[in-house]
Every structure is written in C-alpha cells, then in structure tokens.
Amino acid sequence: SLITDLSGRRIVGVVTNLDKPEVHWVEEADRAAKIYRALGRGFSGQTISVVSTSHDGLKAIVFVHSDTNPGDYYLFDTQTMKADYFFAASKWINPNKMHAKEPFVFKARDGLELHGYVTRPGKEGPYPTVVLPHGGPIARDEWDYDWEVQLLASRGYAVLQLNFRGSDGFGMDFEKSGYREWGAKMQDDITDATHWAIDNKLTVPDRICIFGASYGGYAALMGAVREPTLYRCAIGYAGVYDLELMLSTGNVPQSRARRTSIDTMLGNDITQLHSRSPAYNAAQIQIPVLLIHGKEDKRADFVQAKKMRAALEANHKEFEWMALSREGHGVYDEETRREVYECILKFLDKHLQPANASVPH
C-alpha cells in the first residue's frame, strides 16, 4: 500500500507485507514521514494509518490496529504530536484476551518458499488444529485482526493459515505458479504446511480439521479427497466442488473477464477438471463433512453444494448439511451468522474434542 503526504497528493512511502507490515520511505524528510515515525514509537508493534486530515494538515484521524486489535481511532495533533483516543472499531473486543498471529516460513516439497501464520490458543502445545485455507484463490492471509481466527483460537484450536502458491502479494511469478494447479500443487502446499505444523509440535496429529470458504471450501473438500487420513473432518462453506460446473453456473459465465480468468487458472481439460473436483471424487473421502451454502450465492452457485451433497449421499459418506435461505456468498445477517458459527463450533467440538479453553461470554 502507499503512504501519501498530508495533502494526499504525493507518495512519500510504501508499505510491504511479506510477513508483517514494513514501511519504506521514499521521502524520509517529509513531514508525514516524521509523523508516522513518531506514531510508530508511540504505538509500537501496531500498524498505523492516517485515514483523514484537516485541510490545513494540523489535525488527523489515525487508525491503529494489529493482529490482536481490530483497531482504535485517535485524533492526532500534528504540531504537538499528541494523540487523543477517539473510539474503538469494535469496542466489545479486549485485545489483551486475543491471540497473536505468528508468521512462519517453510519450503514445500518442490523447494518453493511459502509463508503463513499460526495462531496458538495457549502457551502449551501441541493443540487440536484448524487448517484454514483462504478464498480467492488470488488473495492472501495477512498479519491483521481476523475475527474468525480469534473465534477458533478462543475455543482451544490452533489455526494454521498458508499463502499457498497462487496467492497474491508475492509477485506475479508466485501468483502464476498456481495457474492450473487447483487440487494439485496448491493442495500439496496445504498438505505440506499441515505436516510442518505436526513436525514442529504445534498440532496434535489426529486432531486436525480443514475448513475454508469459497476457494477455501474447495480446498477443504479436496484435502479430504487427497489426504483421507490426515484430517479428522472437513468443512466447506460457500465452496466450489465441481470445477466444470463453474463454467456454466454462478456469475462467471456472465462476465468475459471472469471467464478469461477462470480459463487461465483452470484450463478447459474436462477430464482433468473432473479429477480435481471433490464432487467426482467423493468415494475417496473417509471423514465427516459439513457443507454450508447460501441459496442466493451468485459466485459459487447453490447447485455446487447440492451436487456435493448428492455425491456424498451416493457414496454413503457421513456429512451434515446447512442451507441458508436468504444468504449469498457469505453470511451478512447477524443472527444467521451466529447460527452458522455455532454449527461450525459444535461440529469441530464433536470431531476434535478441543483442550479446555477460556470461552468469552
């Protein structure tokens, strides 16, 4: 991201985010750079953004956040360098009770360097673990506050997040290395990260669930297909389970740009698409599955979930089903969201039996 001067017209610095945000100044002598450095000393270990300034540049609204803090706003006087607390983004969250997101680096089986994050639920491991592949897949996990991760950690689970090949933010070569590797090398990366966590005594080997939404839902079910004994359970949320079906359903066919993107990422070899689709490989799944999907999903059409359900039924697999009548690609109604995550936590508790953890009320 970019840092501008107080007028918002000139770039004075850039922020990179390999593992944690790091500022690089283009114009170190600029007044804005001096202000950011002063704020950095005052809010050590947190990320700082100037989100608004007065026309004369004397006052600024500053947003301060981190992996354990969803964010606080301050009114900052650029002359006295004094920051007065304004309000919290999520005042019901106590940062002192949240769990740190720790960066890790390792090499995949083919030598490619991969970056990710692990969030521990306590001081003594190993822990029952949720492997949480991100959506996209051209997206990434970052060092920031993630309420879903904190929810899981508060219930006694370690959370493993990996920026597998194909994620963005690591250069175009890294992003392109994921092209046509859905269910193949991208999946191997997630498997390798899971073994890395086991080898490093972070994870109890027989108490791991893989859970994801959108592309992450696809990766969760493909993890169950390709690694039938590695995970104890799998949760697919708004996922894609038939890659061929993506070409004719949802909003992909409605946009030339989206169709081009899908063709680039997946190719059009139908035999290969079937071999990399959970719905065509349900017979290989040996663990309980939870499927959650909105009936109004325009990105991953609801028919994807129905086809996966039919495949699990046809192969006599153990699964649970939650269809959301008024939700789309994600859950936006607060009460429905509560029901969804209560269902997820109950499913995890049933299959992973987490260690005792302090549960906030």
Side-chain angles (χ1 to χ4, degrees):
S1 58
L2 303 176
I3 300 175
T4 63
D5 66 354
L6 296 182
S7 72
R9 295 171 184 162
R10 287 188 305 108
I11 297 170
V12 298
V14 297
V15 181
T16 57
N17 194 8
L18 180 62
D19 294 313
K20 292 184 178 182
E22 184 177 351
V23 177
H24 309 266
W25 296 109
V26 178
E27 297 189 32
E28 291 192 21
D30 189 89
R31 184 178 172 215
K34 295 178 180 178
I35 289 171
Y36 267 90
R37 285 196 290 268
L39 287 166
R41 290 190 293 270
F43 297 103
S44 178
Q46 302 199 71
T47 301
I48 299 152
S49 304
V50 175
V51 297
S52 178
T53 60
S54 58
H55 289 299
D56 57 13
L58 299 180
K59 302 286 186 180
I61 299 295
V62 176
F63 184 58
V64 180
H65 59 106
S66 72
D67 59 331
T68 58
N69 180 11
D72 295 302
Y73 290 91
Y74 291 83
L75 181 61
F76 184 66
D77 189 312
T78 63
Q79 290 186 309
T80 66
M81 300 298 238
K82 181 182 178 182
D84 292 321
Y85 178 77
F86 198 12
F87 66 92
S90 301
K91 64 181 180 180
W92 55 90
I93 297 295
N94 182 349
N96 294 324
K97 293 184 178 180
M98 299 298 106
H99 302 268
K101 184 183 282 189
E102 305 169 23
F104 71 89
V105 183
F106 80 108
K107 288 189 177 180
R109 66 187 68 180
D110 62 358
L112 182 65
E113 185 175 274
L114 299 172
H115 295 250
Y117 302 92
V118 61
T119 303
R120 305 169 193 252
K123 294 181 179 180
E124 299 296 330
Y127 320 92
T129 298
V130 177
V131 177
L132 191 66
H134 64 71
I138 302 179
R140 64 159 296 177
D141 289 310
E142 297 183 346
W143 186 84
D144 58 5
Y145 184 83
D146 187 323
W147 62 266
E148 192 171 61
V149 169
Q150 295 298 334
L151 173 69
L152 295 169
S154 75
R155 267 60 177 186
Y157 301 108
V159 183
L160 185 71
Q161 298 173 281
L162 178 70
N163 287 313
F164 42 79
R165 71 190 71 205
S167 303
D168 66 12
F170 297 88
M172 281 305 300
D173 287 344
F174 188 85
E175 183 177 312
K176 289 178 180 178
S177 69
Y179 289 176
R180 307 196 180 188
E181 295 294 344
W182 287 42
K185 290 182 180 179
M186 293 167 72
Q187 198 68 43
D188 290 340
D189 292 345
I190 297 170
T191 299
D192 292 348
T194 305
H195 284 295
W196 172 89
I198 295 171
D199 294 342
N200 283 274
K201 311 301 182 185
L202 294 168
T203 294
V204 181
D206 61 349
R207 294 168 69 188
I208 309 170
C209 186
I210 184 167
F211 160 40
S214 195
Y215 174 84
Y218 163 81
L221 270 292
M222 276 307 293
V225 168
R226 294 198 57 190
E227 307 294 334
T229 62
L230 181 59
Y231 305 107
R232 180 75 72 83
C233 59
I235 303 172
Y237 181 8
V240 171
Y241 309 113
D242 180 342
L243 298 185
E244 182 188 9
L245 202 56
M246 284 185 68
L247 306 180
S248 59
T249 62
N251 60 10
V252 170
Q254 301 169 14
S255 164
R256 180 178 297 177
R258 289 196 190 101
R259 181 59 188 262
T260 300
S261 177
I262 287 296
D263 286 345
T264 300
M265 287 192 292
L266 294 181
N268 52 20
D269 183 329
I270 301 302
T271 300
Q272 185 180 81
L273 294 181
H274 286 185
S275 71
R276 297 180 179 181
S277 296
Y280 285 92
N281 296 278
Q284 299 176 44
I285 295 176
Q286 299 179 16
I287 57 176
V289 169
L290 171 60
L291 294 177
I292 304 171
H293 216 103
K295 292 183 178 180
E296 302 301 321
D297 196 332
K298 304 302 181 187
R299 179 61 58 89
D301 196 278
F302 184 56
V303 69
Q304 290 275 356
K306 291 197 293 184
K307 186 157 187 178
M308 190 70 231
R309 180 182 65 175
L312 292 169
E313 288 176 334
N315 287 278
H316 310 289
K317 301 301 180 179
E318 180 183 350
F319 74 95
E320 296 180 28
W321 170 259
M322 189 177 195
L324 310 174
S325 60
R326 295 185 297 171
E327 299 291 349
H329 199 60
V331 180
Y332 300 95
D333 176 75
E334 185 174 344
E335 186 57 36
T336 304
R337 181 175 292 182
R338 178 185 294 274
E339 293 172 2
V340 165
Y341 281 94
E342 285 178 347
C343 177
I344 289 170
L345 292 172
K346 183 178 179 181
F347 184 80
L348 290 172
D349 184 57
K350 176 181 178 181
H351 297 291
L352 296 190
Q353 300 173 346
N356 292 331
S358 57
V359 179
H361 296 284

